[in-house]
Amino acid sequence: MRLPSLVGIALAALVAGAAALVHAEQGADNKQATAPEVLYDLNALPDPVKAMLHQIGNAAATGEIEKMRPVLESNELKPMVAAAYIDDPIGHWKKESADGTGRDVLAAMLDMMSSGFVLTGKGDEAMYVWPYFAEADITKLSPAQEVELYRLLPAPDAIAMKKAGKYSGYKLGISTSGVWHYFIK
């Protein structure tokens, strides 16, 4: 009985890792070609994406990270929360959080969801990504966009990312079908 569950975990990790690599490669290609259009109108999102955002936002707003568990379990596969497969995203977020409760992670989710976002990829590969900085050249931000970046990150972090030329904070990805693919740094 133990073998099938290990095989299932390995398969899930392989699929999630492959999806992340494909998305990362597409993101790099998109940045080099043309910057995607920054979107702000949540009402223009497909209904499955709005539904997933609503679930994530409602759970995060409670301040109780365990409220996120049903959202995670409603997904086809658990979203990626780190470069390697993590069986318990909530345990991971608690461990990574500043206070051990994960509330700062929930706050980061809510902050990101209030920022602009982009649609990357096409067809079955299409993905909505928050914040749009994850797919933008942050060395070329307008003054208003810089203010938006400072709303998401402490100034020293934002400045370091601008110098590095890459956003490296949390990012959230939801497919057009409403599948939550990742919330990773």
Side-chain angles (χ1 to χ4, degrees):
M1 193 66 143
R2 191 153 173 78
L3 183 60
S5 64
L6 289 176
V7 170
I9 289 171
L11 180 59
L14 179 64
V15 169
L21 287 173
V22 166
H23 179 70
E25 288 175 6
Q26 288 176 344
D29 291 344
N30 285 344
K31 284 183 207 173
Q32 291 171 0
T34 310
E37 176 186 4
V38 178
L39 307 167
Y40 290 91
D41 183 5
L42 297 176
N43 291 319
L45 290 168
D47 288 338
V49 178
K50 285 192 279 191
M52 181 53 74
L53 274 178
H54 184 74
Q55 288 180 49
I56 294 168
N58 284 345
T62 68
E64 299 295 332
I65 200 155
E66 284 296 328
K67 299 284 185 182
M68 195 62 69
R69 195 168 301 278
V71 181
L72 294 166
E73 291 171 356
S74 74
N75 217 37
E76 288 176 11
L77 295 172
K78 291 175 187 163
M80 291 185 60
V81 297
Y85 175 77
I86 302 290
D87 185 51
D88 181 16
I90 290 173
H92 173 75
W93 290 331
K94 285 180 178 180
K95 181 180 167 195
E96 295 293 312
S97 72
D99 66 0
T101 66
R103 290 191 180 108
D104 55 325
V105 176
L106 297 175
M109 283 181 192
L110 290 171
D111 285 347
M112 272 192 310
M113 290 167 51
S114 71
S115 73
F117 56 96
V118 294
L119 175 61
T120 64
K122 294 181 185 197
D124 292 342
E125 303 296 325
M127 179 95 52
Y128 287 95
V129 178
W130 285 261
Y132 66 91
F133 303 112
E135 299 293 327
D137 181 348
I138 66 170
T139 65
K140 298 179 180 177
L141 298 178
S142 70
Q145 290 173 319
E146 285 189 27
V147 168
E148 193 171 0
L149 181 64
Y150 289 132
R151 286 180 55 217
L152 292 179
L153 300 167
D157 293 349
I159 291 167
M161 287 179 200
K162 283 177 53 181
K163 284 181 182 173
K166 181 179 180 189
Y167 174 82
S168 57
Y170 280 114
K171 60 185 176 179
L172 172 76
I174 302 175
S175 72
T176 55
S177 64
V179 175
W180 181 7
H181 281 261
Y182 58 84
F183 178 71
I184 58 176
K185 257 188 182 180

